[in-house]
């Protein structure tokens, strides 16, 4: 139920932009070209999320094969009060907030403790960001709501400083970062966290290959549409001319690297102009990597944190150990590593 407008007058939603323009600038075009010219061409997974892609992701979250969303929701429902009391959070900051539904489980817990002051959402998709920020402002009129349209790899400084904050990064999105991006992300996160801030991160866990591959090869073909949408996004944003119909969806689990890899594979010879006179040619079977989705164990996640100035404070999982919520905190000054 939407609350009357008066309830919101004291707490307007503020939407700001990160310092780095999110789309269509020369530097981003250069990055897109560079990635497409690698030996194994690559598209960064941030390019999935135009409005159509974000809606497709929402459909994915409801698929029977995609256990991640409902499992994380169940964990959060179970642990929200405990996490809020462990961190004493007054402010929630969600990175990659999307439709902004799971955050409510934590906001409700903060409200129950009478400590709900502020919420900041950061996402690259402006439409989803604005809509979810407004819906939260309607439903939690006692808190201030800010939205940052930005890239969580570049714009964490736009969230600003504070304390008693709980940062959340849900869905397993941290697994979409390449190892170097992950290390850089953890470094920039540490730089904006105060000593008494916490970070709750959702991690999809290593499990049998069949279950993992089914989650990325759903029988309704929604993941395939989501994957191929990246080509449409590049065509629209960067003036490439991929023939989307000439590609098919591929997703497989790489057991050595412990990640799902999504690719698009040419069904027949095809080419795409990259602008500046450059042309990419594909033979049938040639592929572009569009996403990695890393699966963690408690050990591999703790290893990823090593040297970042952050440490694992608590680990919560579901009865089948499909997914985990890890509570991370800055290493205390003077504490031994
Ligand atoms: N938190 C939601 C959505 C997860 S989907 C959930 O738990 O269901 C991943 C979200 O991250 C999308 O909303 C997408 O727009 C956003 N995203 C992807 N790459 C991003 C980037 N580099 N910077 C900021 N947001 C990004
Ligand atoms: C957002 N992210 C955690 C999803 C994942 O599972 O890696 C994106 C996705 N890709 C295919 N299906 C869903």
């Amino acid at each position: 139920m939407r609350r009357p407008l008066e309830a919101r007058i004291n707490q307007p939603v503020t939407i700001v932009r990160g310092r780095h323009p999110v789309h269509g600038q020369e530097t981003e075009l250069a990055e897109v070209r560079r990635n497409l010219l690698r030996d194994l061409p690559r598209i960064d997974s941030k390019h999935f999320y135009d409005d159509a892609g974000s809606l497709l992701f929402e459909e994915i979250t409801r698929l029977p094969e995609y256990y991640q969303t409902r499992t994380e929701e169940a964990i959060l429902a179970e642990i929200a009060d405990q996490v809020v009391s462990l961190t004493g959070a007054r402010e929630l900051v969600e990175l990659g907030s999307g439709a902004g539904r799971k955050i409510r489980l934590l906001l409700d817990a903060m409200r129950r403790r009478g400590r709900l002051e502020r919420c900041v959402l950061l996402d690259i998709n402006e439409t989803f960001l604005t809509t979810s920020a407004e819906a939260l402002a309607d439903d939690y009129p006692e808190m201030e709501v800010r939205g940052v349209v930005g890239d969580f790899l570049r714009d964490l400084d736009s969230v600003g400083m504070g304390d008693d904050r709980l940062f959340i990064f849900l869905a397993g999105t941290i697994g979409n970062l390449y190892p170097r991006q992950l290390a850089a992300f953890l470094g920039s996160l540490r730089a904006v966290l105060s000593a008494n801030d916490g970070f709750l991160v959702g991690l999809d866990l290593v499990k049998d290959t069949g279950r993992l591959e089914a989650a990325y090869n759903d029988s309704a073909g929604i993941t395939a549409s989501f994957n191929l949408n990246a080509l449409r996004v590049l065509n629209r944003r960067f003036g490439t001319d991929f023939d989307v119909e000439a590609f098919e969806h591929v997703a497989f689990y790489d057991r050595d690297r412990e990640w799902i890899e999504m690719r698009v594979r040419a069904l027949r010879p095809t080419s795409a102009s990259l602008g500046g006179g450059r042309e990419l040619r594909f033979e049938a079977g040639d592929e572009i990597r569009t996403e990695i989705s890393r699966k963690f164990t408690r050990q591999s996640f703790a290893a990823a944190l090593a040297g970042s100035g952050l440490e694992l404070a608590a680990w919560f999982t579901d009865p089948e150990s499909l997914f985990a919520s890890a509570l991370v905190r800055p290493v205390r000054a003077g504490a031994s590593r």
Side-chain angles (χ1 to χ4, degrees), residues 7 32 35 54 62 67 78 172 220 233 258 313 334:
V32 166
N35 279 333
S54 295
R62 294 188 287 269
Y67 57 85
E78 184 85 23
V233 171
E258 298 188 328

Side-chain angles (χ1 to χ4, degrees), residues 62-254:
R62 294 188 287 269
L63 291 169
E65 294 95 335
Y66 199 76
Y67 57 85
Q68 288 92 320
T69 308
R70 57 180 179 272
T71 309
E72 184 177 42
E73 253 160 19
I75 297 171
L76 292 175
E78 184 85 23
I79 67 169
D81 287 304
Q82 192 182 343
V83 168
V84 168
S85 93
L86 277 171
T87 56
R90 292 179 288 128
E91 175 173 337
L92 208 55
V93 180
E94 181 167 16
L95 309 177
S97 47
R101 269 194 316 274
K102 290 177 214 156
I103 192 176
R104 289 166 181 260
L105 295 164
L106 291 152
L107 293 173
D108 291 344
M110 289 163 74
R111 182 183 258 173
R112 282 193 287 277
R113 273 187 62 120
R115 301 204 68 171
L116 179 54
E117 292 179 13
R118 196 158 180 255
C119 160
V120 182
L121 306 178
L122 182 148
D123 203 283
I124 207 156
N125 181 305
E126 183 166 358
T127 313
F128 270 60
L129 181 81
T130 310
T131 307
S132 55
E134 285 176 351
L136 289 179
D138 279 350
D139 294 341
Y140 300 85
E142 70 271 43
M143 76 178 178
E144 180 192 342
V145 181
R146 268 188 71 207
V148 180
V149 185
D151 184 334
F152 48 56
L153 295 177
R154 295 182 177 148
D155 293 313
L156 289 191
D157 54 345
S158 303
V159 169
M161 298 308 287
D163 56 9
D164 292 337
R165 295 176 303 177
L166 177 62
F167 282 64
I168 60 175
F169 197 18
L170 305 181
T173 306
I174 198 167
N176 299 134
L177 308 186
Y178 286 92
R180 268 201 231 159
Q181 291 177 321
L182 174 59
F185 168 79
L186 293 172
S188 53
L189 177 68
R190 176 64 193 92
V192 298
L193 288 185
S194 305
N196 56 355
D197 288 339
F199 175 53
L200 186 71
V201 56
L203 305 168
D204 195 15
L205 299 180
V206 170
K207 61 183 64 61
D208 74 273
T209 301
R211 183 105 195 231
L212 283 170
E213 291 190 341
Y216 294 85
N217 290 286
D218 63 279
S219 54
I222 308 295
T223 310
S225 305
F226 174 74
N227 190 11
L228 291 163
N229 185 55
L231 297 177
R232 285 195 192 90
V233 171
L234 289 203
N235 286 349
R236 200 180 56 249
R237 285 189 186 148
F238 302 102
T240 55
D241 62 353
F242 286 97
D243 174 3
V244 181
E245 304 298 315
F247 289 88
E248 66 177 341
H249 161 75
V250 176
F252 62 92
Y253 185 55
D254 180 332

Side-chain angles (χ1 to χ4, degrees), residues 48-49 57 60 66 68 171-173 176 215-216 223 226 262 291-293 295:
F48 285 137
Y49 299 97
F57 178 73
I60 288 174
Y66 199 76
Q68 288 92 320
T173 306
N176 299 134
Y216 294 85
T223 310
F226 174 74
M262 291 216 307
E291 183 180 69
I292 62 157
S293 187
K295 309 306 166 192

